[in-house]
Amino acid sequence: MSGHLAVVGLGPGDRRYLTRQAEETLGGAEALYGYAPYLERVAVRIGQSRHPSNNREEGMRAAAALGHAAQGARVALVSGGDPGVFAMAAAVCEAVASGPENWRALDITIVPGITAMLAAAARIGAPLGHDFCALSLSDNLKPWDLIERRLDAAASAGFVIALYNPVSRARPWQLGAAIARVRRHLAATTPVIFGRAVGRPDEEVEVTPLHVADATKADMATLVIIGSPETRVIERRGLPPLVYTPRTSARVSA
Ligand code: SAH
């Protein structure tokens, strides 16, 4: 089968974060699929068809892109950040697993991108310098009690925790509940980073101690990083603080 589907990560926003592989793949595509605001970031090229969709229909979007590729076209499906992190690459795999047999014969490429937690971390120092994990706070696709169990496990095991999808219009209370949950395990002084719209003109990155961390500071474009007991803040005069998690655990070095 001659069809090709590339699932392309666009990075967090700034064009400088787009990899050369992503740029080449987008340039060579005959059809572009993706959530409308992401698709808007891709330069318009003559002869390329564009198929924007709304956010709620990931499975349908994956199926539409696969169906188009199965007709022999070169199709690119775009995601913000990295397509494998809470995004379209898994949706494509799920669609292939349950879809028609001929989708399994398609040439499928996943083009990685800089995910939000790496872009946010880089703005403030090295909070992911030692063991960390990433959780989506969206309980659209999993039950809230599972999220709470994972927060308990991660915080009590000493992981730095990156929180994707902290809030949305339909999910206003989840971040507040998650912050309350990790307070059971972590010191009041644990640094919490709010990285908003990283790599975009309205970027804001803030660090605050856990006991005053305010969930209302986050919106849908915010990535939250909750430090571990090892995470430290270096205050600097006239410069933003540096937040880091040392590469040697205190217990190992003691
Ligand atoms: N595939 C994406 C994540 C999709 S989930 C990636 O790899 O980055 C969507 C969530 O990602 C948002 O709710 C937010 O938590 C985070 N996010 C995406 N872009 C961001 C940005 N530019 N700045 C901060 N957080 C971002």
Side-chain angles (χ1 to χ4, degrees):
M1 183 173 280
S2 61
H4 179 261
L5 176 65
V7 193
V8 181
L10 300 178
D14 190 321
R15 270 194 70 81
R16 289 175 305 167
Y17 284 152
L18 192 70
T19 69
R20 201 166 295 175
Q21 185 192 11
E23 211 159 349
E24 283 170 12
T25 306
L26 294 170
E30 294 163 305
L32 294 179
Y33 283 77
Y35 176 43
Y38 295 141
L39 214 46
E40 277 162 25
R41 288 204 224 149
V42 182
V44 174
R45 289 179 182 83
I46 293 163
Q48 221 171 33
S49 64
R50 294 168 83 92
H51 310 264
S53 55
N54 73 47
N55 201 18
R56 290 235 151 229
E57 44 180 43
E58 280 193 354
M60 281 166 63
R61 196 186 312 155
L66 282 158
H68 197 155
Q71 291 165 22
R74 295 190 71 76
V75 177
L77 172 58
V78 301
S79 262
D82 181 273
V85 179
F86 307 122
M88 288 309 298
V92 166
C93 293
E94 287 173 45
V96 170
S98 62
E101 191 59 33
N102 66 338
W103 286 1
R104 294 180 185 227
L106 281 171
D107 183 2
I108 296 175
T109 311
I110 313 295
V111 180
I114 297 177
T115 188
M117 71 177 170
L118 300 186
R123 284 288 191 269
I124 192 89
L128 308 180
H130 204 66
D131 297 346
F132 64 88
C133 65
L135 252 87
S136 168
L137 275 198
S138 169
D139 55 354
N140 292 336
L141 302 171
K142 62 186 168 189
W144 180 252
D145 70 296
L146 177 63
I147 297 175
E148 284 190 329
R149 270 190 284 139
R150 289 185 178 161
L151 287 167
D152 286 342
S156 62
F159 287 101
V160 172
I161 305 170
L163 295 177
Y164 284 76
N165 295 310
V167 284
S168 75
R169 245 161 277 138
R171 294 181 296 101
W173 56 264
Q174 280 79 348
L175 180 61
I179 289 173
R181 195 80 192 182
V182 298
R183 280 186 184 135
R184 297 181 182 188
H185 306 277
L186 297 169
T189 52
T190 306
V192 178
I193 298 156
F194 290 83
R196 200 190 153 270
V198 177
R200 301 182 200 153
D202 49 342
E203 170 181 309
E204 279 171 62
V205 182
E206 256 185 61
V207 52
T208 143
L210 179 58
H211 70 107
V212 290
D214 176 4
T216 63
K217 282 197 181 147
D219 63 7
M220 280 170 76
T222 305
L223 188 281
V224 179
I225 299 177
I226 299 170
S228 77
E230 313 285 343
T231 306
R232 302 278 173 270
V233 181
I234 305 172
E235 298 293 351
R236 301 184 300 165
R237 202 168 296 172
L239 287 169
L242 276 176
V243 183
Y244 72 106
T245 307
R247 298 180 59 232
T248 311
S249 161
R251 244 193 279 173
V252 172
S253 61

